[in-house]
Coordinates of all heavy atoms in Angstrom, one line a residue:
M1479 N 0.8 -1.2 0.0 CA 0.0 0.0 0.0 C 0.9 1.2 0.0 O 1.8 1.4 0.8 CB -0.9 0.0 1.2 CG -1.5 1.4 1.5 SD -2.9 1.3 2.7 CE -4.2 1.2 1.5
P1480 N 0.6 2.2 -0.9 CA 1.4 3.4 -0.9 C 1.1 4.3 0.4 O 0.0 4.2 0.9 CB 1.0 4.2 -2.1 CG -0.2 3.4 -2.7 CD -0.3 2.1 -2.0
S1481 N 2.1 5.0 0.8 CA 1.9 5.8 2.0 C 1.6 7.3 1.6 O 1.8 7.7 0.4 CB 3.2 5.8 2.9 OG 4.3 6.3 2.1
C1482 N 1.0 8.0 2.5 CA 0.7 9.4 2.2 C 0.9 10.3 3.5 O 1.1 9.7 4.6 CB -0.7 9.6 1.7 SG -2.0 9.0 2.8
R1483 N 0.8 11.6 3.3 CA 1.0 12.5 4.4 C -0.4 13.0 4.8 O -1.3 13.0 4.0 CB 1.9 13.7 4.1 CG 3.3 13.2 3.8 CD 4.1 14.4 3.5 NE 4.2 14.5 2.0 CZ 4.8 15.4 1.4 NH1 5.6 16.3 2.0 NH2 4.8 15.4 0.0
S1484 N -0.5 13.6 6.0 CA -1.8 14.1 6.5 C -1.6 15.6 6.9 O -0.5 16.0 7.4 CB -2.3 13.4 7.7 OG -3.5 14.0 8.2
S1485 N -2.6 16.4 6.6 CA -2.6 17.8 7.0 C -2.7 17.9 8.5 O -2.4 19.0 9.1 CB -3.8 18.5 6.4 OG -5.0 18.0 6.9
G1486 N -3.2 16.9 9.2 CA -3.6 17.1 10.6 C -5.0 17.7 10.6 O -5.6 18.0 9.6
A1487 N -5.5 18.0 11.8 CA -6.8 18.5 11.9 C -6.9 20.0 11.4 O -6.1 20.8 11.9 CB -7.3 18.5 13.4
L1488 N -7.7 20.2 10.5 CA -7.9 21.6 9.9 C -9.2 22.2 10.4 O -10.3 21.5 10.3 CB -7.9 21.6 8.4 CG -6.7 21.0 7.7 CD1 -6.9 20.9 6.2 CD2 -5.5 22.0 7.9
T1489 N -9.2 23.3 11.0 CA -10.4 24.0 11.5 C -10.5 25.4 11.0 O -11.4 26.1 11.4 CB -10.4 24.0 13.1 OG1 -9.3 24.6 13.6 CG2 -10.5 22.5 13.6
T1490 N -9.6 25.8 10.1 CA -9.7 27.2 9.5 C -8.9 27.1 8.2 O -8.2 26.1 7.9 CB -9.1 28.2 10.5 OG1 -9.3 29.5 9.9 CG2 -7.6 28.0 10.7
D1491 N -9.1 28.1 7.4 CA -8.4 28.2 6.1 C -6.9 27.9 6.3 O -6.3 28.4 7.2 CB -8.5 29.6 5.4 CG -10.0 29.9 5.1 OD1 -10.9 29.1 5.4 OD2 -10.2 30.9 4.5
K1492 N -6.3 27.1 5.3 CA -4.9 26.9 5.5 C -4.3 26.4 4.2 O -4.9 25.6 3.4 CB -4.6 25.8 6.5 CG -3.2 25.5 6.8 CD -2.9 24.5 7.9 CE -1.4 24.4 8.1 NZ -1.1 23.5 9.2
Q1493 N -3.0 26.8 3.9 CA -2.2 26.2 2.8 C -1.7 24.9 3.3 O -0.9 24.9 4.2 CB -1.1 27.2 2.4 CG -0.2 26.6 1.3 CD -1.0 26.6 0.0 OE1 -1.7 27.5 -0.3 NE2 -0.8 25.6 -0.8
V1494 N -2.2 23.8 2.8 CA -1.8 22.5 3.3 C -0.5 22.1 2.7 O 0.4 21.5 3.4 CB -2.9 21.4 2.9 CG1 -2.5 20.0 3.3 CG2 -4.2 21.8 3.6
F1495 N -0.3 22.3 1.4 CA 1.0 21.9 0.7 C 1.2 22.9 -0.5 O 0.2 23.3 -1.1 CB 0.9 20.5 0.3 CG 2.2 20.0 -0.3 CD1 3.2 19.5 0.5 CD2 2.3 19.9 -1.7 CE1 4.4 19.1 -0.1 CE2 3.5 19.4 -2.3 CZ 4.5 19.0 -1.5
T1496 N 2.5 23.2 -0.8 CA 2.8 24.0 -1.9 C 3.6 23.1 -2.9 O 4.6 22.5 -2.5 CB 3.6 25.2 -1.5 OG1 2.8 26.0 -0.6 CG2 3.9 26.1 -2.8
G1497 N 3.2 23.1 -4.1 CA 3.9 22.3 -5.2 C 3.1 21.1 -5.7 O 1.9 21.0 -5.3
K1498 N 3.6 20.3 -6.5 CA 2.9 19.2 -7.1 C 2.8 18.1 -6.1 O 3.7 17.8 -5.4 CB 3.7 18.7 -8.3 CG 3.7 19.7 -9.5 CD 4.5 19.1 -10.6 CE 4.5 20.1 -11.7 NZ 5.2 19.7 -12.9
C1499 N 1.6 17.5 -6.1 CA 1.3 16.3 -5.2 C 0.0 15.6 -5.7 O -0.6 16.1 -6.7 CB 1.1 16.8 -3.8 SG -0.3 17.9 -3.5
K1500 N -0.3 14.5 -5.1 CA -1.5 13.8 -5.4 C -2.5 13.9 -4.2 O -2.0 13.7 -3.0 CB -1.2 12.3 -5.6 CG -0.5 12.1 -6.9 CD -0.3 10.6 -7.1 CE 0.4 10.3 -8.4 NZ 0.6 8.9 -8.6
L1501 N -3.7 14.3 -4.4 CA -4.7 14.3 -3.4 C -5.3 12.9 -3.2 O -6.0 12.4 -4.1 CB -5.8 15.4 -3.8 CG -6.9 15.6 -2.8 CD1 -6.3 16.1 -1.4 CD2 -7.8 16.7 -3.3
I1502 N -5.1 12.3 -2.1 CA -5.5 10.9 -1.8 C -6.9 10.9 -1.3 O -7.8 10.2 -1.8 CB -4.5 10.2 -0.9 CG1 -3.1 10.3 -1.4 CG2 -5.0 8.8 -0.7 CD1 -2.9 9.7 -2.8
S1503 N -7.2 11.5 -0.2 CA -8.5 11.5 0.4 C -8.8 12.7 1.3 O -7.8 13.4 1.7 CB -8.7 10.2 1.3 OG -7.8 10.2 2.4
I1504 N -10.1 12.9 1.6 CA -10.5 14.0 2.5 C -11.5 13.5 3.5 O -12.4 12.8 3.1 CB -11.1 15.2 1.7 CG1 -10.1 15.7 0.6 CG2 -11.5 16.3 2.6 CD1 -10.7 16.6 -0.4
H1505 N -11.2 13.7 4.8 CA -12.1 13.2 5.9 C -12.7 14.5 6.4 O -12.0 15.4 6.9 CB -11.3 12.5 6.9 CG -10.6 11.3 6.4 ND1 -11.0 10.0 6.7 CD2 -9.5 11.2 5.6 CE1 -10.2 9.2 6.1 NE2 -9.3 9.8 5.4
V1506 N -14.1 14.5 6.5 CA -14.8 15.7 6.9 C -15.7 15.3 8.0 O -16.5 14.3 7.9 CB -15.6 16.3 5.7 CG1 -16.3 17.5 6.1 CG2 -14.7 16.5 4.5
C1507 N -15.7 16.2 9.1 CA -16.6 16.0 10.2 C -17.3 17.3 10.6 O -16.6 18.3 10.7 CB -15.8 15.5 11.4 SG -16.7 15.3 12.9
N1508 N -18.6 17.2 10.7 CA -19.4 18.4 11.1 C -19.5 18.4 12.6 O -20.2 17.5 13.1 CB -20.8 18.4 10.4 CG -21.5 19.7 10.8 OD1 -21.3 20.3 11.8 ND2 -22.5 20.0 10.0
D1509 N -18.8 19.3 13.3 CA -18.8 19.3 14.7 C -19.9 20.2 15.3 O -20.1 20.3 16.5 CB -17.5 19.9 15.2 CG -16.3 19.1 14.8 OD1 -16.4 17.8 14.7 OD2 -15.2 19.7 14.5
G1510 N -20.6 20.9 14.5 CA -21.6 21.9 15.0 C -23.0 21.6 14.8 O -23.4 20.5 14.3
G1511 N -23.9 22.5 15.0 CA -25.3 22.3 14.9 C -25.9 22.8 13.7 O -27.2 22.8 13.5
A1512 N -25.1 23.3 12.7 CA -25.6 23.8 11.4 C -24.8 23.1 10.3 O -23.8 22.5 10.5 CB -25.3 25.3 11.4
P1513 N -25.3 23.2 9.1 CA -24.6 22.6 8.0 C -23.2 23.1 7.9 O -22.9 24.3 8.2 CB -25.4 23.0 6.7 CG -26.8 23.1 7.3 CD -26.6 23.7 8.6
F1514 N -22.2 22.3 7.5 CA -20.8 22.6 7.4 C -20.4 22.6 5.9 O -20.7 21.7 5.2 CB -20.0 21.6 8.2 CG -18.5 21.7 8.0 CD1 -17.8 22.9 8.4 CD2 -17.8 20.7 7.4 CE1 -16.5 23.0 8.2 CE2 -16.4 20.8 7.2 CZ -15.8 21.9 7.6
T1515 N -19.7 23.7 5.5 CA -19.3 23.8 4.1 C -17.8 24.0 4.1 O -17.3 24.9 4.8 CB -20.0 24.9 3.4 OG1 -21.4 24.7 3.5 CG2 -19.6 25.0 1.9
C1516 N -17.1 23.3 3.2 CA -15.6 23.5 3.0 C -15.3 23.2 1.6 O -16.0 22.6 0.8 CB -14.8 22.7 4.0 SG -15.0 20.9 3.7
K1517 N -14.1 23.8 1.1 CA -13.7 23.6 -0.3 C -12.2 23.3 -0.3 O -11.5 23.7 0.6 CB -13.9 24.9 -1.1 CG -15.4 25.3 -1.1 CD -15.5 26.6 -1.8 CE -16.9 27.2 -1.7 NZ -17.0 28.5 -2.3
V1518 N -11.7 22.6 -1.3 CA -10.3 22.3 -1.5 C -10.0 22.8 -2.9 O -10.7 22.5 -3.9 CB -10.0 20.8 -1.3 CG1 -8.6 20.5 -1.6 CG2 -10.4 20.3 0.1
F1519 N -8.8 23.5 -3.0 CA -8.4 24.1 -4.2 C -7.0 23.6 -4.6 O -6.2 23.4 -3.7 CB -8.3 25.6 -4.1 CG -9.6 26.3 -3.8 CD1 -10.1 26.4 -2.6 CD2 -10.4 26.8 -4.9 CE1 -11.3 27.1 -2.3 CE2 -11.6 27.4 -4.7 CZ -12.0 27.6 -3.4
D1520 N -6.7 23.5 -5.9 CA -5.4 23.3 -6.5 C -4.8 24.7 -6.6 O -5.1 25.4 -7.5 CB -5.5 22.6 -7.8 CG -4.1 22.3 -8.4 OD1 -3.1 22.8 -7.9 OD2 -4.0 21.7 -9.5
G1521 N -4.0 25.0 -5.6 CA -3.4 26.4 -5.7 C -2.9 26.8 -4.3 O -2.8 26.0 -3.4
T1522 N -2.5 28.1 -4.2 CA -1.9 28.6 -3.0 C -2.9 29.5 -2.2 O -2.6 30.0 -1.2 CB -0.7 29.4 -3.2 OG1 -0.9 30.4 -4.2 CG2 0.4 28.4 -3.8
D1523 N -4.1 29.6 -2.8 CA -5.2 30.3 -2.1 C -6.5 29.9 -2.7 O -6.6 29.0 -3.5 CB -5.0 31.9 -2.2 CG -4.9 32.3 -3.7 OD1 -5.5 31.7 -4.6 OD2 -4.3 33.4 -3.9
N1524 N -7.6 30.6 -2.4 CA -9.0 30.1 -2.9 C -9.3 30.7 -4.3 O -10.5 30.6 -4.7 CB -10.0 30.5 -1.9 CG -10.2 32.0 -1.7 OD1 -9.4 32.8 -2.3 ND2 -11.1 32.4 -0.8
T1525 N -8.3 31.1 -5.0 CA -8.5 31.5 -6.4 C -8.0 30.5 -7.4 O -8.2 30.6 -8.6 CB -7.9 32.9 -6.7 OG1 -6.4 32.7 -6.6 CG2 -8.4 34.0 -5.8
G1526 N -7.4 29.4 -6.8 CA -7.0 28.3 -7.7 C -8.2 27.5 -8.2 O -9.3 27.8 -7.9
K1527 N -7.9 26.4 -8.8 CA -9.0 25.5 -9.4 C -9.6 24.7 -8.2 O -8.9 24.0 -7.5 CB -8.4 24.5 -10.4 CG -9.4 23.5 -10.9 CD -8.9 22.7 -12.1 CE -7.6 21.9 -11.7 NZ -7.2 21.0 -12.8
E1528 N -10.9 24.9 -8.1 CA -11.6 24.2 -7.0 C -11.8 22.7 -7.4 O -12.3 22.4 -8.5 CB -13.0 24.8 -6.8 CG -13.8 24.1 -5.7 CD -15.1 24.8 -5.4 OE1 -15.3 25.9 -5.8 OE2 -16.0 24.1 -4.8
V1529 N -11.3 21.8 -6.6 CA -11.4 20.4 -6.9 C -12.4 19.6 -6.1 O -12.7 18.5 -6.4 CB -10.0 19.7 -6.8 CG1 -9.0 20.3 -7.8 CG2 -9.4 19.8 -5.4
A1530 N -12.8 20.2 -4.9 CA -13.8 19.5 -4.1 C -14.5 20.5 -3.3 O -14.0 21.5 -2.8 CB -13.1 18.5 -3.2
R1531 N -15.8 20.2 -3.1 CA -16.7 21.1 -2.2 C -17.6 20.1 -1.4 O -18.2 19.2 -1.9 CB -17.5 22.0 -3.0 CG -18.4 22.9 -2.1 CD -19.3 23.8 -3.0 NE -18.5 24.6 -3.9 CZ -19.0 25.7 -4.5 NH1 -20.2 26.0 -4.3 NH2 -18.2 26.4 -5.3
F1532 N -17.7 20.4 -0.1 CA -18.4 19.5 0.8 C -19.4 20.3 1.6 O -19.1 21.3 2.1 CB -17.5 18.7 1.7 CG -16.4 18.0 1.0 CD1 -15.2 18.6 0.9 CD2 -16.7 16.8 0.4 CE1 -14.2 17.9 0.2 CE2 -15.7 16.2 -0.4 CZ -14.4 16.7 -0.4
V1533 N -20.6 19.8 1.7 CA -21.7 20.3 2.6 C -22.2 19.2 3.4 O -22.8 18.3 2.9 CB -22.8 21.0 1.8 CG1 -23.8 21.6 2.7 CG2 -22.2 22.1 0.9
L1534 N -21.9 19.2 4.7 CA -22.4 18.1 5.6 C -23.4 18.6 6.6 O -23.3 19.7 7.1 CB -21.2 17.5 6.4 CG -20.5 16.3 5.7 CD1 -19.9 16.6 4.5 CD2 -19.6 15.7 6.7
Q1535 N -24.4 17.8 6.9 CA -25.4 18.1 7.9 C -24.8 17.9 9.3 O -23.8 17.2 9.4 CB -26.6 17.3 7.7 CG -27.3 17.5 6.4 CD -27.7 19.0 6.2 OE1 -28.3 19.6 7.1 NE2 -27.4 19.6 5.1
P1536 N -25.4 18.5 10.3 CA -24.9 18.4 11.7 C -24.7 16.9 12.1 O -25.4 16.0 11.7 CB -26.0 19.0 12.5 CG -26.6 20.0 11.6 CD -26.6 19.3 10.3
D1537 N -23.6 16.7 12.9 CA -23.3 15.4 13.5 C -23.1 14.3 12.5 O -23.5 13.2 12.6 CB -24.4 15.0 14.5 CG -24.5 16.0 15.6 OD1 -23.5 16.5 16.1 OD2 -25.7 16.3 16.0
S1538 N -22.4 14.7 11.4 CA -22.1 13.7 10.3 C -20.6 13.7 10.0 O -20.0 14.7 10.2 CB -23.0 13.9 9.1 OG -22.7 15.2 8.5
T1539 N -20.1 12.5 9.6 CA -18.7 12.4 9.2 C -18.7 11.6 7.9 O -19.4 10.6 7.7 CB -18.0 11.6 10.3 OG1 -18.1 12.3 11.5 CG2 -16.5 11.4 9.9
M1540 N -17.8 12.0 7.0 CA -17.7 11.3 5.7 C -16.2 11.3 5.3 O -15.5 12.2 5.6 CB -18.5 11.9 4.6 CG -20.0 11.9 4.9 SD -21.0 12.3 3.5 CE -20.9 10.9 2.5
E1541 N -15.9 10.2 4.5 CA -14.5 10.2 3.9 C -14.7 10.2 2.4 O -15.6 9.4 1.9 CB -13.8 8.9 4.3 CG -12.5 8.7 3.6 CD -11.8 7.4 3.8 OE1 -12.4 6.5 4.5 OE2 -10.7 7.2 3.3
F1542 N -13.9 10.9 1.7 CA -14.0 11.0 0.2 C -12.7 10.6 -0.4 O -11.7 11.2 -0.1 CB -14.3 12.5 -0.2 CG -15.6 13.0 0.4 CD1 -15.6 13.6 1.6 CD2 -16.8 12.8 -0.3 CE1 -16.8 14.1 2.1 CE2 -18.0 13.2 0.3 CZ -18.0 13.9 1.5
D1543 N -12.7 9.5 -1.2 CA -11.6 9.0 -1.9 C -11.4 9.9 -3.1 O -12.2 9.9 -4.0 CB -11.8 7.5 -2.2 CG -10.5 6.9 -2.9 OD1 -9.6 7.7 -3.2 OD2 -10.5 5.7 -3.0
M1544 N -10.3 10.6 -3.2 CA -10.0 11.5 -4.3 C -9.2 10.8 -5.4 O -8.8 11.4 -6.4 CB -9.3 12.8 -3.8 CG -10.2 13.6 -2.8 SD -11.8 14.0 -3.5 CE -11.3 15.2 -4.7
H1545 N -8.9 9.5 -5.2 CA -8.2 8.7 -6.3 C -6.9 9.3 -6.8 O -6.6 9.1 -8.0 CB -9.2 8.5 -7.4 CG -10.5 7.8 -7.0 ND1 -10.6 6.5 -6.7 CD2 -11.7 8.3 -6.9 CE1 -11.8 6.2 -6.3 NE2 -12.5 7.3 -6.4
G1546 N -6.2 10.0 -6.0 CA -4.9 10.5 -6.4 C -5.0 11.7 -7.4 O -4.1 11.7 -8.3
V1547 N -5.9 12.5 -7.3 CA -6.1 13.7 -8.2 C -4.7 14.4 -8.2 O -4.2 14.7 -7.1 CB -7.2 14.6 -7.7 CG1 -7.2 15.9 -8.5 CG2 -8.6 13.9 -7.9
L1548 N -4.2 14.8 -9.4 CA -3.0 15.5 -9.5 C -3.2 17.0 -9.2 O -4.0 17.6 -9.9 CB -2.4 15.3 -10.9 CG -2.0 13.9 -11.3 CD1 -1.6 13.8 -12.7 CD2 -0.9 13.4 -10.4
M1549 N -2.5 17.5 -8.2 CA -2.5 18.9 -7.9 C -1.2 19.5 -8.4 O -0.1 19.1 -8.0 CB -2.7 19.0 -6.4 CG -3.8 18.2 -5.7 SD -5.4 18.8 -6.2 CE -5.7 20.0 -4.9
S1550 N -1.3 20.5 -9.3 CA -0.1 21.0 -9.9 C 0.5 22.2 -9.1 O 1.7 22.5 -9.2 CB -0.4 21.5 -11.3 OG -1.5 22.4 -11.4
E1551 N -0.3 23.0 -8.3 CA 0.2 24.1 -7.6 C 0.3 23.9 -6.1 O 1.0 24.6 -5.5 CB -0.7 25.3 -7.9 CG -0.9 25.7 -9.4 CD 0.4 26.1 -10.0 OE1 1.2 26.8 -9.3 OE2 0.7 25.8 -11.1
G1552 N -0.5 23.0 -5.6 CA -0.6 22.8 -4.1 C -2.0 22.5 -3.7 O -2.9 22.3 -4.5
I1553 N -2.1 22.5 -2.4 CA -3.5 22.2 -1.8 C -3.8 23.3 -0.8 O -3.1 23.6 0.1 CB -3.5 20.9 -1.0 CG1 -3.1 19.7 -1.9 CG2 -4.9 20.6 -0.3 CD1 -2.9 18.4 -1.2
F1554 N -4.9 24.0 -1.1 CA -5.4 25.1 -0.2 C -6.8 24.6 0.3 O -7.7 24.3 -0.5 CB -5.5 26.4 -0.9 CG -5.9 27.5 0.0 CD1 -5.0 28.1 0.8 CD2 -7.3 27.9 0.1 CE1 -5.4 29.1 1.7 CE2 -7.7 28.9 1.0 CZ -6.7 29.5 1.8
Y1555 N -7.0 24.7 1.6 CA -8.2 24.3 2.3 C -9.0 25.6 2.7 O -8.4 26.5 3.3 CB -8.0 23.4 3.5 CG -9.2 23.2 4.3 CD1 -10.2 22.4 3.9 CD2 -9.3 23.9 5.6 CE1 -11.3 22.3 4.7 CE2 -10.4 23.7 6.4 CZ -11.4 22.9 5.9 OH -12.5 22.7 6.7
E1556 N -10.2 25.7 2.4 CA -11.1 26.8 2.8 C -12.3 26.3 3.5 O -13.0 25.5 3.0 CB -11.5 27.6 1.6 CG -12.4 28.8 2.0 CD -12.9 29.5 0.7 OE1 -13.8 29.0 0.0 OE2 -12.5 30.7 0.5
E1557 N -12.5 26.9 4.7 CA -13.7 26.5 5.5 C -14.6 27.7 5.6 O -14.2 28.8 6.0 CB -13.3 26.1 6.9 CG -14.4 25.6 7.8 CD -13.9 25.0 9.1 OE1 -12.9 24.3 9.0 OE2 -14.5 25.2 10.1
T1558 N -15.8 27.6 5.2 CA -16.7 28.7 5.0 C -17.7 28.9 6.2 O -18.3 29.9 6.3 CB -17.5 28.7 3.7 OG1 -18.2 27.5 3.7 CG2 -16.5 28.8 2.5
T1559 N -17.8 27.9 7.0 CA -18.8 28.0 8.1 C -18.2 27.8 9.5 O -18.9 27.9 10.5 CB -20.0 27.0 7.9 OG1 -19.4 25.7 7.8 CG2 -20.8 27.3 6.7
N1560 N -16.9 27.4 9.6 CA -16.2 27.3 10.9 C -16.9 26.4 12.0 O -16.9 26.8 13.1 CB -16.0 28.8 11.5 CG -15.2 29.6 10.6 OD1 -14.2 29.2 10.0 ND2 -15.6 30.9 10.4
N1561 N -17.4 25.3 11.6 CA -18.0 24.4 12.6 C -17.6 22.9 12.2 O -18.4 22.1 12.5 CB -19.5 24.6 12.7 CG -20.2 24.3 11.4 OD1 -19.7 24.5 10.3 ND2 -21.5 23.9 11.5
G1562 N -16.5 22.7 11.6 CA -16.1 21.4 11.3 C -14.6 21.1 11.4 O -13.8 22.0 11.7
T1563 N -14.2 19.9 11.3 CA -12.8 19.5 11.3 C -12.6 18.6 10.1 O -13.4 17.7 9.7 CB -12.5 18.6 12.6 OG1 -12.9 19.4 13.7 CG2 -11.1 18.3 12.6
V1564 N -11.5 18.9 9.4 CA -11.1 18.2 8.1 C -9.7 17.7 8.2 O -8.8 18.4 8.7 CB -11.4 19.1 6.9 CG1 -10.9 18.5 5.6 CG2 -12.8 19.5 6.8
F1565 N -9.5 16.5 7.6 CA -8.1 16.0 7.4 C -7.9 15.7 5.9 O -8.7 15.1 5.3 CB -8.0 14.6 8.2 CG -8.2 14.8 9.7 CD1 -9.5 14.8 10.2 CD2 -7.1 14.9 10.5 CE1 -9.7 14.9 11.6 CE2 -7.3 15.1 11.9 CZ -8.6 15.0 12.4
V1566 N -6.8 16.3 5.4 CA -6.5 16.1 4.0 C -5.3 15.2 3.9 O -4.3 15.5 4.5 CB -6.2 17.5 3.3 CG1 -5.8 17.3 1.8 CG2 -7.5 18.4 3.4
N1567 N -5.4 14.1 3.1 CA -4.3 13.2 2.9 C -3.8 13.3 1.5 O -4.6 13.3 0.6 CB -4.8 11.7 3.2 CG -5.2 11.6 4.7 OD1 -4.5 12.0 5.6 ND2 -6.4 11.0 4.9
F1568 N -2.5 13.4 1.4 CA -1.9 13.6 0.1 C -0.5 12.9 0.0 O 0.1 12.5 1.0 CB -1.7 15.1 -0.2 CG -0.9 15.8 0.9 CD1 0.4 16.1 0.6 CD2 -1.4 16.2 2.1 CE1 1.2 16.8 1.5 CE2 -0.6 16.9 3.0 CZ 0.7 17.2 2.7
A1569 N 0.0 12.8 -1.2 CA 1.3 12.1 -1.5 C 2.1 13.0 -2.5 O 1.5 13.7 -3.3 CB 1.1 10.7 -2.0

């Protein structure tokens, strides 16, 4: 099995990685009482190419297999509702 790196727990906007990499999976948990929205971009900020968007209902957790999507500029994580925790795995 190939190995990958983790962003660790993300609870606010963050540049996860800069440069070329593969996006392996995204684990999303809604910790709050309202819908949770977050986005992942190929780039160094939220103006790069959006590759994933998640909207989860309260008290739900999901894992998304991104099948090694090639990221050419990096991984930028944006949280728009501030009530969730996300882990981004990449190689």
Side-chain angles (χ1 to χ4, degrees):
M1479 163 166 268
S1481 58
C1482 62
R1483 293 181 269 183
S1484 174
S1485 63
L1488 300 171
T1489 57
T1490 188
D1491 295 2
K1492 183 174 182 179
Q1493 180 69 40
V1494 174
F1495 184 79
T1496 302
K1498 294 180 180 180
C1499 64
K1500 290 183 181 180
L1501 182 57
I1502 305 300
S1503 65
I1504 303 170
H1505 301 253
V1506 183
C1507 178
N1508 183 338
D1509 300 326
F1514 170 65
T1515 303
C1516 64
K1517 301 173 186 176
V1518 176
F1519 296 87
D1520 179 353
T1522 56
D1523 58 26
N1524 64 358
T1525 63
K1527 178 172 55 173
E1528 185 177 338
V1529 297
R1531 181 183 302 196
F1532 307 99
V1533 179
L1534 265 66
Q1535 295 305 312
D1537 301 319
S1538 60
T1539 301
M1540 297 192 75
E1541 176 188 1
F1542 300 90
D1543 184 350
M1544 298 303 292
H1545 303 287
V1547 169
L1548 297 174
M1549 307 293 272
S1550 58
E1551 301 296 323
I1553 301 171
F1554 183 81
Y1555 168 74
E1556 178 184 69
E1557 187 169 318
T1558 58
T1559 55
N1560 299 319
N1561 61 331
T1563 304
V1564 173
F1565 300 83
V1566 176
N1567 298 313
F1568 59 99

